């Protein structure tokens, strides 16, 4: 297995420097986890980390590699990769997405790094759209999967109880907000987050006897029919849209705490006004940070107000934690920042440790549906449950959420400094290791999707994988693994800093 790439990008005039706010120093090995599911030790050499950072939970990252260059010599591997990409374009659906912006053929991966069939290595700040909390092929995840495979346990058992499932549920409940874990039920759904969203909507409708739903502008909850109805791109409006507060493009033109206050007031008035045309809904679904919507963190006070408004009116609050969960935002769950305990939590992506798994966790009083009211053939994915147990325990025992908060704030600070020098960066925002840069036309302030696409390509040319989101796909998004080291973070920032002016020079 190759080692993770951590060298800096270079320009013709020398290395790009985008420093984090604190110098790095040799980090001590973290103590072994105290959980009964103790992670196996790593055989890799120690890494660099800042002295004020909580113990780093990842297996220490290897030493830096030489700068990435295309494979030399025979064109055999490169030609083979080109053939695979050509056949993909001929055979796969026009609906494919990432394959269009990432014309690479991954053959190996570890941690932050992917190696393509042509020999190039890339720093992966997409992380399976946030799925890979521990990065690619983390040793504790691989060990957990091997353990199930070597045990002879069944891999597919629908929703039958197994020791693997019991271990996953126990670890999951140990990490839930205390106010929910004490009186919770869990439903295993189909393999994707959108399946869990569908289950959550069905649950609250069954529990309340109502059909309407409150959702937010800019939301993204998946690609199935019901989940799309609740998302910001829906065209057939069967869901009441509420304003989601944000600073850069506040719907009320004020931003900040005042914009959030007005948004909350709008919601409250809509529900209480008998002439609003909005009957009492079955639930409200909200993302603690809108990811696909452009990396908009919900203000803590506003989210607490949504909890108060829904609780006072008997409206179940659904927190979509598919992308924000398991330490991504600098707390174990996105709602933890505001101290909010929702009635339903929708969980997927990182909880499966890189394998397909989706669940909803909800208050026992909502558990009124009949047997078979919601199911899914692959809701008994034993490998995903084992990988998920290892991931949840590792994040918890090694303080990776706290690490994400510290490192994420340093990266945001560095990026805001970069934005001051780049007029095409209209806003830098995020929480933890969920970061976005909105690109704009410097003359008008309008979104700049063409420039954002150029930045994504320039990043790829420099060995950095990023993705786009937000209005008009004008937000460059960073979702690195929670095991990111300070040195790797600097490498990511350097390559992005190099890509921005290069993209600005390209004809659009």
């Amino acid at each position: 297995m190759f080692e993770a790439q951590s060298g800096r990008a270079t320009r013709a005039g020398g290395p790009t420097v985008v420093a984090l706010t604190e110098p790095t120093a040799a980090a001590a090995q973290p103590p072994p986890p105290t959980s009964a599911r103790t992670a196996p030790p790593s055989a890799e050499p120690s890494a660099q980390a800042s002295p004020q950072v909580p113990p780093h939970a990842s297996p220490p990252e290897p030493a830096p590699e030489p700068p990435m260059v295309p494979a030399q010599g025979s064109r055999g591997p490169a030609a083979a990769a080109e053939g695979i990409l050509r056949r993909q374009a001929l055979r796969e659906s026009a609906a494919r997405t990432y394959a269009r912006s990432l014309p690479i053929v991954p053959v190996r991966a570890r941690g932050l790094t992917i190696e393509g069939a042509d020999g190039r290595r890339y720093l992966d700040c997409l992380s399976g759209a946030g799925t890979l909390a521990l990065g690619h092929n983390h040793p504790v995840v691989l060990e957990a999967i091997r353990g199930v495979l070597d045990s002879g346990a069944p891999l597919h058992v629908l929703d039958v109880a197994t020791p693997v499932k019991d271990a996953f549920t126990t670890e999951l409940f140990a990490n839930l907000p205390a106010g929910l874990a004490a009186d919770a039920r869990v439903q295993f759904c189909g393999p994707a987050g959108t399946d869990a969203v569908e289950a959550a909507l069905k649950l609250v409708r069954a529990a309340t006897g109502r059909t309407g739903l409150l959702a937010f502008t800019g939301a993204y909850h998946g690609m199935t029919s019901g989940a799309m109805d609740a998302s910001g791109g829906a065209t057939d409006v069967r869901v009441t849209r509420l304003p989601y507060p944000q600073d850069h493009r506040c719907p009320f033109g004020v931003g900040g705490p005042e914009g959030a206050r007005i948004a909350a007031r709008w919601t409250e008035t809509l529900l209480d006004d008998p002439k609003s045309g909005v009957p009492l809904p079955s639930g409200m679904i909200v993302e603690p940070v809108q990811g696909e919507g452009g990396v908009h963190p919900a203000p803590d006070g506003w989210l607490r107000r949504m909890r108060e408004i829904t609780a006072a009116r008997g409206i179940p609050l659904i927190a979509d934690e598919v992308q924000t969960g398991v330490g991504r935002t600098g707390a174990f769950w996105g709602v933890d920042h505001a101290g909010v305990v929702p009635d339903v939590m929708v969980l997927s992506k990182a909880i499966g440790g890189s394998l397909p798994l989706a669940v909803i966790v909800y208050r026992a009083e909502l558990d009124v549906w009949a047997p078979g009211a919601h199911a899914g053939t692959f809701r008994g994915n034993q490998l995903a449950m084992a990988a998920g147990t290892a991931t949840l325990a590792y994040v918890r025992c090694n303080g990776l959420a706290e690490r994400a908060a510290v490192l994420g704030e340093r990266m945001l600070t560095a990026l805001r400094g970069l934005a001051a020098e780049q007029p095409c960066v209209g806003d830098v925002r995020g929480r933890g290791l969920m970061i976005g840069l909105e690109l704009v036309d410097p003359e008008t302030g309008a979104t700049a999707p063409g420039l954002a696409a150029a930045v994504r390509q320039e990043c790829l040319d420099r060995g950095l994988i990023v993705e786009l989101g937000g209005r008009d796909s004008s937000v460059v998004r960073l979702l690195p693994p929670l095991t990111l080291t300070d040195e790797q973070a600097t490498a990511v920032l350097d390559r992005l800093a190099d890509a921005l002016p290069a993209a600005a020079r390209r004809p659009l």
Side-chain angles (χ1 to χ4, degrees):
M1 179 63 71
F2 62 93
E3 295 181 347
Q5 175 71 26
S6 56
R8 298 190 178 196
T10 59
R11 294 180 183 173
T16 304
V17 178
V18 179
L20 299 178
T21 57
E22 295 183 31
T24 58
Q29 284 275 31
T34 56
S35 167
R37 290 166 296 283
T38 302
S42 169
E44 299 180 15
S46 58
Q48 299 292 318
S50 295
Q52 282 79 9
V53 173
H56 195 279
S58 64
E61 291 289 338
E65 295 180 350
M68 293 185 297
V69 295
Q72 302 297 316
S74 170
R75 274 188 45 82
E82 290 170 3
I84 291 171
L85 292 173
R86 183 171 59 253
R87 288 188 292 276
Q88 180 187 44
L90 289 172
R91 296 168 175 169
E92 291 191 20
S93 163
R96 68 189 187 282
T97 55
Y98 297 114
R100 297 179 185 277
S101 59
L102 296 174
I104 62 176
V105 180
V107 293
R108 280 178 293 276
R110 190 179 71 192
L112 180 67
T113 310
I114 288 177
E115 181 179 320
D118 60 357
R120 285 181 59 88
R121 295 191 180 108
Y122 302 86
L123 304 184
D124 181 10
C125 281
L126 177 58
S127 299
T131 299
L132 304 173
L134 304 184
H136 293 277
N137 293 328
H138 193 285
V140 301
V141 172
L142 297 182
E143 183 67 20
I145 293 171
R146 290 191 189 101
V148 176
L149 293 174
D150 294 344
S151 73
L155 301 183
H156 183 273
V157 289
L158 299 172
D159 63 355
V160 173
T162 69
V164 172
K165 184 178 187 178
D166 182 65
F168 171 80
T169 304
T170 299
E171 182 61 39
L172 176 62
F173 273 53
N175 288 293
L176 291 175
L180 181 59
D183 183 38
R185 298 291 184 270
V186 60
Q187 167 68 21
F188 289 81
C189 309
T194 190
D195 301 308
V197 169
E198 295 284 352
L201 302 184
K202 187 183 294 184
L203 171 72
V204 296
R205 285 168 175 155
T208 64
R210 304 188 292 261
T211 59
L213 183 69
L214 302 176
F216 292 89
T217 55
Y220 177 79
H221 299 291
M223 295 297 290
T224 52
S225 179
M228 287 184 70
D229 281 349
S231 300
T235 55
D236 182 10
V237 180
R238 290 177 284 176
V239 175
T240 300
R241 306 282 173 217
L242 301 172
Y244 191 97
Q246 53 178 296
D247 291 337
H248 188 59
R249 299 189 187 279
C250 174
F252 306 106
V254 293
E258 180 63 8
R261 187 195 67 79
I262 296 172
R265 178 62 178 160
W266 175 278
T267 299
E268 190 172 19
T269 301
L270 195 71
L271 291 172
D272 292 344
D273 181 359
K275 294 295 185 181
S276 70
V278 178
L280 195 65
S282 63
M284 172 190 286
I285 185 167
V286 63
E287 299 161 272
V289 179
Q290 287 192 342
E292 304 299 326
V295 194
H296 292 287
D300 292 342
W302 173 83
L303 193 56
R304 285 191 288 268
R305 189 69 188 120
M306 292 301 101
R307 173 69 285 188
E308 292 168 357
I309 289 171
T310 53
R313 293 158 180 80
I315 302 170
L317 178 64
I318 305 168
D320 184 340
E321 293 265 10
V322 169
Q323 193 167 100
T324 53
V326 195
R328 168 62 56 189
T329 68
F332 209 95
W333 309 109
V335 293
D336 290 345
H337 293 284
V340 164
V341 179
D343 300 297
V344 185
M345 293 178 69
V346 179
L347 311 176
S348 188
K349 291 192 185 292
I351 67 161
S354 77
L355 299 180
L357 187 63
V359 305
I360 58 172
V361 182
Y362 52 93
R363 295 188 189 277
E365 65 189 61
L366 298 175
D367 197 34
V368 300
W369 45 10
H374 193 80
T377 300
F378 293 102
R379 64 193 185 279
N381 188 335
Q382 300 293 285
L383 293 182
M385 291 176 191
T389 302
T391 298
L392 290 166
Y394 206 68
V395 171
R396 173 176 60 85
C397 294
N398 292 281
L400 283 193
E402 295 82 358
R403 164 71 183 177
V406 172
L407 186 55
E409 188 56 40
R410 292 187 199 162
M411 293 180 73
L412 284 167
T413 297
L415 288 169
R416 287 172 181 137
L418 176 65
E421 303 172 359
Q422 300 290 336
C424 64
V425 180
D427 193 30
V428 175
R429 53 186 179 255
R431 202 159 207 175
L433 291 176
M434 194 170 179
I435 296 171
L437 291 80
E438 182 168 337
L439 301 185
V440 301
D441 182 327
E443 301 296 326
T444 66
T447 56
L451 178 59
V455 169
R456 178 178 60 189
Q457 183 59 52
E458 291 289 345
C459 284
L460 190 65
D461 293 345
R462 288 158 176 77
L464 175 63
I465 296 174
V466 300
E467 194 40 71
L468 306 181
R471 273 69 171 177
D472 303 319
S473 295
S474 61
V475 178
V476 176
R477 302 178 60 209
L478 299 177
L479 290 166
L482 308 187
T483 52
L484 188 73
T485 66
D486 288 349
E487 184 181 27
Q488 290 174 330
T490 298
V492 167
L493 295 175
D494 283 349
R495 295 178 190 200
L496 181 56
D498 206 46
L500 280 167
R505 293 191 296 267
R506 289 175 59 157
L508 300 180

